[in-house]
Amino acid sequence: MMLAEWLRKEAGLSGTKIVCAEGDCGACTVLRAFPRPGAAFVAGAAFEYEAMNSCIATVAQMDGAHIVTVEGMQRGNELSPAQHAMRVCHASQCGYCTPGFVMALSGMLEKHAQADERMAMNYLTGNLCRCTGYAPIIQAALTVRATEQHSVALRYSDMNAVAESITATEQSMRVSHDGVELFAPATLREAVTFAALHPGFRVIGAATDLGVQINKGKPMPAALLSLHLVPELYATKVSRAGATFGARVTLAEVRRVSEDVAPEFAQFLNLFASPQIKNVATLVGNIANASPIGDTLPFLLIAGGTVHVAGRPGGKGPIRKRSIAMTELYLGYKQLALEPGEIITHVSFQRTPSREVLRLCKVSQRKDLDISAVSGAFAVTLGTGRRGKSAPCVTSARIAYGGVAATPVRMPDAEQALCGELTTERIESVAHLIAGSIAPISDVRGSGAYRRVTAAYIFRRFGNEVLRG
Ligand SMILES: Cc1cc2nc3c(=O)[nH]c(=O)nc-3n(C[C@H](O)[C@H](O)[C@H](O)COP(=O)(O)OP(=O)(O)OC[C@H]3O[C@@H](n4cnc5c(N)ncnc54)[C@H](O)[C@@H]3O)c2cc1C
Ligand code: FES
Ligand code: FES
């Protein structure tokens, strides 16, 4: 059962709406605080609330979380700042989307006292309205101000509630219903043991992919393994060489850390889904979902991405850990090079060297909250050109694409062909090589011919940018 359904049917809180049930419209937005498992209770510690879509989040995974719905925003007869702003700006008509907008704006106010237009648009990326028009809603977002008395963290961070949440995250959880078992262990050992003893099990991350599949009635395995209570999987490590993220680290956190480690990747993640999705979805989920159009994959393929996996064959003995380079991970459409019973525990990638030019590109029908038709990742290191020539010289190149084959792909031939003095002719010949070496499928996002032309085009654009300096 999804959280939105539970709120409406079991808790009687029907302010939260279900419209698309796919994470696209934001009508089901709630605020969630979830203490990091393994965190010790500190007196005075406050919950930190973030917006999320409740229609694609399983209710079982909310154990230990504190959820605030639109019903929790008003104080007595006094509307919250977001509710008041929506009202005075006439930003609601049929009202079905309104609770979601209120909660998205309230999530913004938990972090920022007020917003400029760019911030407002970003925080509203995950919310759709079909009747009012966006101008009054954006106006509401620009006029709203955070106030201390309406701060959700200050209102709801009751010491007992925080302590109770932390205690809940310390214990493994097992839920069985209708022949389906969901197990959330508190240790990695329990996780890999369960995986070994339940052939056909599936890991359930934040369920931003899986939740959509569940809502569409796609068959699910009888054993689901949730890693949300395993403390070590929340770790982020940054070094001079790069960054490593545990399987439970969210894309919002990855984006924040990448600002230093891989700034182009951080920038690119602005185009990934919406705040509601990024606040919960994991980088490892994007990798393990193994979609040829997973947006992070071309970058990881050129940035020395490596996944670290763990298993416990037969459910006995020590945990066996190994690493797989991202370039070796995808064997075929949605097929990973994991052994039965293995799970991904971490992913790492290299820091972008300052001398490298790295660009990431996503082509989709809409700029925001859309899935790529084609994506590309390009990186070159430049040396000095031949004496007397001003053209830059490419000393090494890395190129990867999504959306042009059954898996995301590196292009070693094109990389080799790009090395040498960079000229318009070389760029053109590599663009032809790329177009000629792929045979993309046609689907709702674009025809095979469109994808081939687009793959060449985005490379050409990158090449010309480097050429112009
Ligand atoms: C509205 C919306 C917008 C989206 N926008 C984008 C977008 O712009 N770009 C994009 O690329 N994707 C997008 N997605 C897809 C999705 O959000 C991402 O793929 C996300 O990273 C999945 O992470 P998750 O933790 O929710 O994974 P889940 O849905 O929980 O799992 C995804 C898959 O990974 C497997 N898995 C998860 N963790 C592990 C593990 N530790 N070990 C082994 N297997 C594991 C699961 O079994 C499942 O098969 C969007 C989804 C929605 C609903
Ligand atoms: S109902 Fe549309 S995002 Fe949840
Ligand atoms: S006011 Fe009707 S959908 Fe937004």
Side-chain angles (χ1 to χ4, degrees):
M1 184 183 245
M2 296 302 163
L3 173 61
E5 209 185 334
W6 183 84
L7 288 170
R8 292 174 58 81
K9 289 190 182 156
E10 305 284 325
L13 297 169
S14 55
T16 300
K17 307 297 182 212
I18 303 175
V19 179
C20 68
E22 291 190 10
D24 269 318
C25 75
C28 64
T29 303
V30 296
L31 299 185
R32 180 188 79 143
F34 183 65
R36 195 175 156 148
F41 176 72
V42 180
F47 279 137
E48 277 180 39
Y49 289 90
E50 285 185 321
M52 65 175 281
N53 298 121
S54 58
C55 66
I56 49 171
T58 66
V59 70
Q61 288 177 295
M62 295 302 122
D63 191 39
H66 193 251
I67 308 290
V68 177
T69 65
V70 71
E71 287 87 348
M73 300 311 295
Q74 195 165 326
R75 279 174 72 98
N77 287 331
E78 200 186 327
L79 294 178
S80 75
Q83 289 171 317
H84 180 72
M86 289 289 285
R87 200 181 85 166
V88 298
C89 294
H90 305 287
S92 175
Q93 208 174 104
C94 80
Y96 223 73
C97 64
T98 312
F101 277 103
V102 165
M103 298 314 282
L105 291 180
S106 304
M108 177 180 86
L109 296 180
E110 287 301 292
K111 299 209 163 117
H112 309 278
Q114 65 182 88
D116 59 21
E117 190 159 341
R118 194 157 169 216
M119 183 190 291
M121 305 278 261
N122 177 36
Y123 273 90
L124 296 178
T125 306
N127 295 74
L128 299 179
C129 172
R130 292 144 183 93
C131 43
T132 309
Y134 291 100
I137 296 172
I138 292 165
Q139 192 54 32
L142 292 175
T143 51
V144 72
R145 300 285 180 271
T147 67
E148 205 166 290
Q149 71 269 26
H150 283 101
S151 150
V152 178
L154 291 179
R155 282 182 71 191
Y156 290 110
S157 291
D158 167 63
M159 202 169 80
N160 293 330
V162 177
E164 206 181 305
S165 272
I166 290 177
T167 310
T169 64
E170 286 164 355
Q171 296 149 13
S172 301
M173 182 194 73
R174 200 180 285 266
V175 182
S176 298
H177 182 70
D178 256 357
V180 178
E181 184 175 3
L182 189 151
F183 179 49
T187 65
L188 185 59
R189 176 172 288 265
E190 286 175 276
V192 287
T193 308
F194 178 89
L197 300 180
H198 292 80
F201 81 99
R202 194 130 176 221
V203 174
I204 181 160
T208 61
D209 274 311
L210 277 184
V212 176
Q213 304 301 318
I214 294 170
N215 285 350
K216 285 184 172 168
K218 296 267 166 72
M220 281 291 131
L224 293 168
L225 174 62
S226 174
L227 303 173
H228 75 284
L229 298 179
V230 182
E232 67 216 76
L233 302 185
Y234 286 83
T236 293
K237 278 190 208 138
V238 178
S239 70
R240 285 230 300 258
T244 301
F245 300 96
R248 288 299 310 177
V249 177
T250 63
L251 284 161
E253 166 79 355
V254 172
R255 203 205 74 80
R256 195 185 59 72
V257 172
S258 297
E259 278 175 12
D260 167 49
V261 181
E264 176 74 12
F265 185 48
Q267 189 72 16
F268 181 70
L269 285 177
N270 290 338
L271 296 177
F272 193 112
S274 61
Q276 285 97 321
I277 297 285
K278 278 184 288 207
N279 284 341
V280 295
T282 62
L283 177 57
V284 165
N286 197 238
I287 295 167
N289 193 45
S291 163
I293 43 171
D295 274 338
T296 65
L297 311 180
F299 166 74
L300 293 168
L301 281 174
I302 66 159
T306 303
V307 293
H308 309 279
V309 306
R312 198 176 182 217
K316 295 192 193 99
I319 299 175
R320 209 174 63 188
K321 296 186 177 177
R322 65 187 182 108
S323 300
I324 309 170
M326 285 289 295
T327 46
E328 309 292 322
L329 184 65
Y330 299 108
L331 302 180
Y333 180 68
K334 294 248 173 187
Q335 216 189 329
L336 296 173
L338 296 185
E339 299 288 339
E342 276 185 334
I343 61 171
I344 302 175
T345 58
H346 297 83
V347 54
S348 49
F349 58 79
Q350 289 162 2
R351 185 179 284 275
T352 308
S354 53
R355 59 181 194 289
E356 188 169 270
V357 185
L358 190 153
R359 293 288 179 267
L360 303 172
C361 181
K362 164 173 177 169
V363 182
S364 52
Q365 292 182 4
R366 261 190 339 198
K367 176 171 159 278
D368 288 309
L369 202 55
D370 204 355
I371 292 170
S372 306
V374 176
S375 57
F378 313 101
V380 290
T381 311
L382 301 175
T384 19
R386 273 191 280 137
R387 204 177 310 155
K389 300 262 182 176
S390 57
C393 181
V394 175
T395 54
S396 76
R398 277 165 293 135
I399 299 173
Y401 278 94
V404 300
T407 64
V409 286
R410 266 286 285 266
M411 300 230 162
D413 292 346
E415 291 170 2
Q416 212 178 351
L418 188 57
C419 288
E421 200 161 318
L422 192 64
T423 57
T424 312
E425 294 71 36
R426 189 183 289 271
I427 293 169
E428 208 45 50
S429 100
V430 174
H432 272 97
L433 180 64
I434 290 169
S437 61
I438 54 175
I441 57 160
S442 298
D443 65 13
V444 288
R445 291 186 196 93
S447 66
Y450 167 77
R451 285 188 156 111
R452 199 175 306 114
V453 169
T454 306
Y457 172 79
I458 59 178
F459 166 75
R460 210 178 276 124
R461 202 177 66 168
F462 167 72
N464 286 327
E465 184 196 327
V466 177
L467 190 60
R468 282 196 306 270

